[in-house]
Amino acid sequence: MYFQGYWLCLGLLFVSVNAEFMDDGVEVEELGENSEDIDTNEGELSSEIKYKTPQPVGEVYFTETFDSGKLAGWVLSKAKKDDTNVEISIYDGRWEIEELKENRAPGDRGLVLKSRAKHHAISTVLAKPFIFADRPLIVQYEVNFQDGIDCGGAYIKLLADTDDLNLENFHDKTSYIIMFGPDKCGEDYKLHFIIRHKHPKTGVYEEKHAKPPDVDLKPFFTDRKTHLYTLVMNPDDTFEVLIDQIVVNKGSLLEDVVPPINPLKEIEDPADEKPDDWDERAKIPDPSAIKPEDWDEDEPAQIEDLSAVKPDGWLDAEPKFIPDPNAEKPDDWNEDMDGEWEAPRISNPACRIGCGEWKPPMINNPKYKGVWRPPMIDNPNYQGIWSPRKIPNPYYFEDDHPFLLTSFRALGLELWSMTSDIYFDNFIICSEKEVADRWATDGWGVKMLANANELGILRQLITTAEERPWLWLIYLVTAGLPIALIISFCWPRKVKKKYEDANYKETDICKPQTKGALEQEGKEEKAALEKPLDLVEEKQQSDGEILEKEEGEPQEKSEEEIEIIEGQEEGNKSNKSGSEDEPLKSCTFLLQSHHSHYYEM
């Protein structure tokens, strides 16, 4: 019964933990059923994850897995940053294609940023340009800060489809349409989503930043796990940002970007100037106020305490510091070069009370009032804070459909980092969420399984509880309930039984007996077997009467009883003087004698 309750608790724990993984977007069952890259044996994962390069299942604009081990189609930048020190202005950061350091799936590779304190720039052209029209834009890729991150980014840029786009000259000023991804410096953790919106009247591109997510981003930078970053932009001008397939930010391009897409209808007139006689003073000194006649502005804030007396033992003629009498001029002291040597000064030991000219301490002056100022009153001429007049904004426009951005045709990473080994993998740009989800299942999902397979059950439970502390309560109940049941229902019975067994062995089996007592027991047992039932009952009645009599008054002991008592005393003496094995041998001998005597009769 208790074991059934224990297994019930374990089942509840498993369901809770499994539900947490499902909430995190890691659909373990679907991975096992839908992915062709994972082999299972009778529903259990093998000791090694079988990885197969993901393949898109629908229309895509770009995919990259790096599993070939080659940077085919990728171009390293040869440009230099403007307004930067010549030594660090070159994009000479190194890129490599490698497997993950930890929780790797054999055959799964990614692009790794390898250099510290260097500029990195690499880019590639899409299979076809993405044109903003009536289909969503979905951008998705993986990032792993394998060594943590001190200061640096892992964001991507979608480069504008312009005639002058040259990937070898890709740098920080290259025109982009969308910037998306994680970035961190100091304790400022960010997840960028920036669009560059073209002003329809001036033709100038303006950056519009999405509001920051409302979640704590720090764990995604510090846990050294592979995380999946997804951007979804819809034709209805809404957007979603997801991490590990969980929405962390969403909103509207018309309402949730800064500065707003559409400018103000009216602006301040730059030619307007504040009049000279404009009075912005809300309060002014009371012109009718007069300084009181007894107001003395010359009184100091503090005066000497006239009641103070110089302490006894104060030495006016003694200096506070004297040359150290124990100091000696160094042997290598050169007065021509070092000047005249002087011993270092120390506190004068004679100045226990005080030395030098004594002065009374300063106290606050009760007559001090300070500089007189008239009280403040409301300004009768107050006109308020001046501001320029409003005029119609000559550059005003109203874009009701900001989703229609400039098309892009390349993807680039232009990064600076103080930490190396930043891992990128499984880029995809498409228009169908189902395609991106399947791509995530076959790529990022396999990494999650590899991570779970390597950690083991115990480590998974601990890791999950670190992220969700309330799970510790479930663990405690699951582990504590069976123990409490065992202690409550099993332990007292075992103790009682053990106690009774001990008494039985001690009083009945190992009780020393004499030969006369054994013979008497044999005769009584033989007589009891020969007596009919009525005689037995009569004997029981007589025994009861004898018992009552014995309780009422003490009886004299028979010779056999005296012999039994003497035998017990001799046995006790032998137990005390002999070894621990002797009482056991004595008990065994008596039992054998008893049985042999009984069968002889």
Side-chain angles (χ1 to χ4, degrees):
M1 172 181 175
Y2 308 125
F3 288 105
Q4 292 176 353
Y6 177 71
W7 286 114
L8 176 61
C9 292
L10 285 181
L12 291 174
L13 175 62
F14 174 78
V15 171
S16 300
V17 175
N18 187 52
E20 292 301 320
F21 282 112
M22 295 292 287
D23 289 341
D24 287 346
V26 185
E27 301 182 359
V28 178
E29 292 184 1
E30 290 186 9
L31 287 174
E33 294 174 1
N34 297 333
S35 177
E36 299 176 357
D37 307 334
I38 307 170
D39 292 338
T40 58
N41 182 15
E42 296 180 0
E44 297 181 358
L45 288 175
S46 62
S47 60
E48 183 179 283
I49 298 298
K50 303 301 183 182
Y51 172 80
K52 183 180 179 182
T53 300
Q55 299 295 330
V57 294
E59 181 182 4
V60 296
Y61 297 87
F62 176 75
T63 60
E64 179 61 84
T65 65
F66 304 103
D67 290 343
S68 66
K70 299 178 181 179
L71 284 173
W74 291 82
V75 179
L76 294 172
S77 176
K78 299 178 181 179
K80 295 183 179 180
K81 287 178 67 72
D82 297 333
D83 305 325
T84 306
N85 189 298
V86 177
E87 296 179 356
I88 61 173
S89 64
I90 304 173
Y91 287 94
D92 57 350
R94 187 164 58 90
W95 301 89
E96 296 288 346
I97 296 179
E98 299 175 347
E99 291 185 350
L100 282 168
K101 291 182 178 180
E102 299 178 358
N103 306 323
R104 66 176 63 90
D108 183 18
R109 300 180 180 88
L111 180 65
V112 182
L113 180 149
K114 299 297 294 183
S115 304
R116 295 179 64 256
K118 288 183 178 292
H119 292 287
H120 301 72
I122 191 171
S123 57
T124 185
V125 176
L126 308 186
K128 57 181 177 180
F130 182 89
I131 299 174
F132 291 90
D134 56 355
R135 304 188 67 189
L137 168 65
I138 300 173
V139 181
Q140 183 172 274
Y141 69 107
E142 302 168 14
V143 175
N144 187 321
F145 297 103
Q146 300 184 94
D147 295 334
I149 183 71
D150 294 326
C151 183
Y155 47 81
I156 64 173
K157 292 181 178 180
L158 304 179
L159 308 182
D161 185 9
T162 59
D163 295 335
D164 60 348
L165 178 62
N166 181 4
L167 299 186
E168 288 188 350
N169 195 38
F170 174 41
H171 56 91
D172 58 324
K173 300 293 193 301
T174 300
S175 179
Y176 69 89
I177 302 304
I178 294 174
M179 190 172 93
F180 171 64
D183 188 18
K184 184 252 182 182
C185 201
E187 289 300 313
D188 190 10
Y189 299 89
K190 297 179 180 180
L191 179 55
H192 292 299
F193 170 40
I194 305 172
I195 63 172
R196 295 183 75 240
H197 182 267
K198 185 177 181 180
H199 197 293
K201 290 191 174 182
T202 64
V204 176
Y205 283 90
E206 300 174 346
E207 288 187 356
K208 311 292 182 179
H209 296 248
K211 65 180 181 180
D214 294 330
V215 300
D216 181 15
L217 297 174
K218 183 176 181 179
F220 302 109
F221 290 81
T222 58
D223 62 6
R224 305 191 181 190
K225 296 180 181 178
T226 302
H227 293 289
L228 183 71
Y229 294 88
T230 307
L231 169 65
V232 180
M233 294 180 64
N234 298 306
D236 63 357
D237 304 307
T238 61
F239 67 87
E240 288 184 338
V241 175
L242 302 90
I243 302 179
D244 299 343
Q245 298 185 324
I246 298 175
V247 176
V248 297
N249 195 9
K250 63 180 179 179
S252 169
L253 296 177
L254 290 169
E255 300 174 356
D256 299 306
V257 296
V258 179
I261 294 290
N262 297 314
L264 299 173
K265 291 184 177 181
E266 292 185 331
I267 61 172
E268 295 179 348
D269 185 359
D272 193 14
E273 296 181 357
K274 183 174 73 172
D276 295 336
D277 59 349
W278 190 277
D279 196 343
E280 292 182 335
R281 298 174 301 165
K283 298 281 187 179
I284 60 172
D286 185 357
S288 61
I290 300 174
K291 182 176 72 171
E293 295 180 357
D294 60 347
W295 193 284
D296 188 356
E297 296 183 348
D298 296 330
E299 284 286 345
Q302 289 190 323
I303 58 174
E304 292 183 351
D305 185 2
L306 301 179
S307 63
V309 180
K310 182 173 68 173
D312 294 337
W314 188 280
L315 304 177
D316 295 87
E318 285 286 339
K320 294 183 179 180
F321 298 95
I322 60 172
D324 185 358
N326 298 322
E328 296 181 359
K329 184 174 69 173
D331 296 336
D332 58 349
W333 187 274
N334 189 331
E335 293 189 355
D336 294 334
M337 299 180 62
D338 302 327
E340 184 180 356
W341 181 81
E342 294 181 358
R345 301 176 69 81
I346 61 173
S347 297
N348 190 346
C351 298
R352 292 188 301 273
I353 305 300
C355 293
E357 182 183 358
W358 181 84
K359 294 181 180 180
M362 303 297 289
I363 61 173
N364 293 330
N365 184 2
K367 299 180 179 180
Y368 172 75
K369 294 185 178 180
V371 178
W372 180 84
R373 292 183 176 86
M376 304 296 289
I377 61 172
D378 293 335
N379 182 5
N381 298 322
Y382 176 67
Q383 296 174 273
I385 303 299
W386 181 88
S387 61
R389 62 175 175 268
K390 301 288 186 178
I391 62 172
N393 184 359
Y395 300 107
Y396 172 75
F397 68 90
E398 188 171 356
D399 186 351
D400 295 330
H401 201 14
F403 173 76
L404 302 178
L405 299 172
T406 302
S407 60
F408 62 88
R409 65 181 176 95
L411 179 149
L413 292 89
E414 187 267 320
L415 305 168
W416 163 273
S417 178
M418 294 300 296
T419 307
S420 60
D421 289 330
I422 302 176
Y423 177 94
F424 301 85
D425 199 6
N426 292 332
F427 291 88
I428 186 171
I429 299 175
C430 61
S431 292
E432 299 178 36
K433 189 64 166 59
E434 295 76 10
V435 174
D437 289 344
R438 177 58 184 271
W439 180 265
T441 298
D442 294 346
W444 176 75
V446 174
K447 289 184 176 68
M448 294 303 97
L449 287 178
N451 183 33
N453 200 34
E454 183 166 325
L455 288 177
I457 295 297
L458 180 60
R459 182 56 186 166
Q460 290 179 59
L461 295 177
I462 295 175
T463 302
T464 305
E466 289 175 350
E467 298 173 355
R468 296 163 181 82
W470 59 267
L471 281 175
W472 287 113
L473 179 60
I474 296 179
Y475 296 169
L476 181 61
V477 172
T478 304
L481 183 59
I483 297 175
L485 291 174
I486 292 173
I487 293 175
S488 300
F489 296 101
C490 300
W491 180 254
R493 299 178 182 178
K494 290 183 177 180
V495 172
K496 183 177 180 181
K497 184 177 180 181
K498 182 177 180 181
Y499 177 77
E500 292 175 350
D501 292 344
N503 288 340
Y504 172 77
K505 293 177 182 178
E506 188 175 317
T507 59
D508 296 339
I509 295 179
C510 296
K511 182 177 179 180
Q513 296 183 2
T514 63
K515 181 178 180 182
L518 292 174
E519 292 177 352
Q520 182 64 28
E521 286 183 6
K523 292 177 180 180
E524 290 178 356
E525 290 177 1
K526 184 176 181 181
L529 293 174
E530 294 176 353
K531 288 181 180 180
L533 183 60
D534 54 346
L535 293 178
V536 173
E537 293 178 355
E538 186 178 311
K539 184 178 183 301
Q540 290 177 351
Q541 294 176 359
S542 62
D543 289 343
E545 294 175 358
I546 294 172
L547 180 61
E548 291 177 359
K549 186 176 181 181
E550 289 178 351
E551 292 178 353
E553 57 181 356
Q555 299 293 326
E556 294 183 359
K557 295 181 176 60
S558 64
E559 294 181 358
E560 291 182 353
E561 291 176 347
I562 295 173
E563 190 176 352
I564 291 172
I565 293 173
E566 291 177 353
Q568 290 178 347
E569 292 177 352
E570 291 177 0
N572 292 336
K573 291 179 180 180
S574 63
N575 286 341
K576 293 178 181 179
S577 60
S579 63
E580 295 181 355
D581 293 338
E582 289 178 355
L584 181 61
K585 294 179 180 178
S586 176
C587 291
T588 304
F589 172 77
L590 290 174
L591 288 173
Q592 291 175 350
S593 300
H594 176 270
H595 286 293
S596 62
H597 176 74
Y598 177 77
Y599 287 114
E600 286 175 1
M601 295 174 62

